[in-house]
Amino acid sequence: MESNVTNQYNERITLAITGASGVQYGLRLLECLLAARCQVLVMISKAAQVVIATETEEALPGSAKEQEIWLTQRFSATAGQLRVFGREQWMAPVASGSGAPSKMVVCPCSTGCLSAIATGASNNLIERAADVALKERRQLILVPREAPYSEIHLEHMLKLTRMGCVIIPASPGFYNRPQTIEDMVDFVVARILNQLQIEQQLMPRWGEDSLS
């Protein structure tokens, strides 16, 4: 199955969007992954749906199937390029090591989701998919957006880092002299794409072009 998908798409990526502030990062990452001809398996928590309604002008539907249709149209994805799964859709490919993509991103990652992943809770499909990534020693990137961090948050991040997870806080830099909010979002998304080894034109890597 993987080889057939690879022939059609450049990569298969699991993307989870959870209920931290900063859903713009997750939606922009989704847009960039689709533009890079990746197949993206998406999960959006109920809390994330509330945040999307609060922080953006987007009117995301409630059910996974409706979200799949809406996001496919919103980002001009090809048929089958974007798949959305609900929180208890246990037969989804991401729930098993034999079917899940080799790379997963949780963006943004709430501290509640961070805790659940660090402790192996697996109470919903997002947590189970991350658990699969860890047990299979696959790439897992978490993008927390919280301030300040408590000792609990830091301990969970250290624990997950020791397991091989990459933590990329949603902390945009300013050496590229951002002019808009979109520029700051793209700074973080570019870092994620670099970690995934996916070509991106959002921001030059350090030293590629003059930053002055």
Side-chain angles (χ1 to χ4, degrees):
M1 182 174 119
E2 185 75 32
S3 60
N4 291 336
V5 171
T6 302
N7 291 335
Q8 187 174 359
Y9 304 109
N10 292 332
E11 292 269 9
R12 291 176 77 225
I13 308 287
T14 302
L15 172 62
I17 300 176
T18 65
S21 180
V23 292
Q24 293 87 347
Y25 295 111
L27 294 174
R28 178 61 167 151
L29 176 60
L30 175 59
E31 180 181 17
C32 291
L33 290 173
L34 293 170
R37 294 189 65 251
C38 297
Q39 184 187 42
V40 190
L41 280 58
V42 180
M43 295 162 286
I44 303 173
S45 73
K46 289 193 177 298
Q49 294 178 43
V50 173
V51 177
I52 289 171
T54 302
E55 294 187 346
T56 77
E57 301 300 321
E58 307 289 3
L60 189 69
S63 74
K65 188 60 181 176
E66 291 172 330
Q67 289 170 11
E68 181 173 302
I69 294 170
W70 189 89
L71 289 168
T72 295
Q73 294 174 344
R74 172 69 175 77
F75 295 118
S76 302
T78 60
Q81 186 182 11
L82 186 156
R83 301 178 64 190
V84 179
F85 301 100
R87 59 175 282 120
E88 294 184 348
Q89 204 166 336
W90 300 113
M91 297 305 293
V94 297
S96 172
S98 64
S102 60
K103 300 176 180 181
M104 177 176 179
V105 185
V106 184
C107 177
C109 181
S110 68
T111 54
C113 184
L114 180 78
S115 171
I117 295 171
T119 57
S122 293
N123 287 321
N124 57 54
L125 189 61
I126 292 175
E127 296 168 14
R128 171 57 185 171
D131 193 52
V132 167
L134 289 172
K135 79 182 183 69
E136 299 290 336
R137 306 297 193 270
R138 294 175 182 171
Q139 186 174 22
L140 176 61
I141 299 171
L142 306 183
V143 186
R145 209 299 317 163
E146 186 62 85
Y149 291 124
S150 73
E151 183 175 348
I152 295 171
H153 304 149
L154 294 169
E155 285 179 347
H156 286 154
M157 284 188 269
L158 177 59
K159 181 178 181 180
L160 287 164
T161 298
R162 287 172 172 166
M163 294 182 198
C165 178
V166 174
I167 307 292
I168 302 180
S171 303
F174 290 87
Y175 54 78
N176 60 321
R177 299 183 181 179
Q179 301 298 306
T180 65
I181 292 174
E182 288 76 16
D183 289 342
M184 291 188 284
V185 170
D186 281 354
F187 180 97
V188 174
V189 172
R191 289 295 180 89
I192 299 168
L193 293 171
N194 288 344
Q195 281 289 326
L196 293 170
Q197 297 185 342
I198 292 174
E199 190 72 24
Q200 57 86 16
Q201 303 297 323
L202 302 180
M203 179 183 168
R205 297 171 189 264
W206 186 265
E208 284 185 348
D209 290 318
S210 174
L211 296 170
S212 60

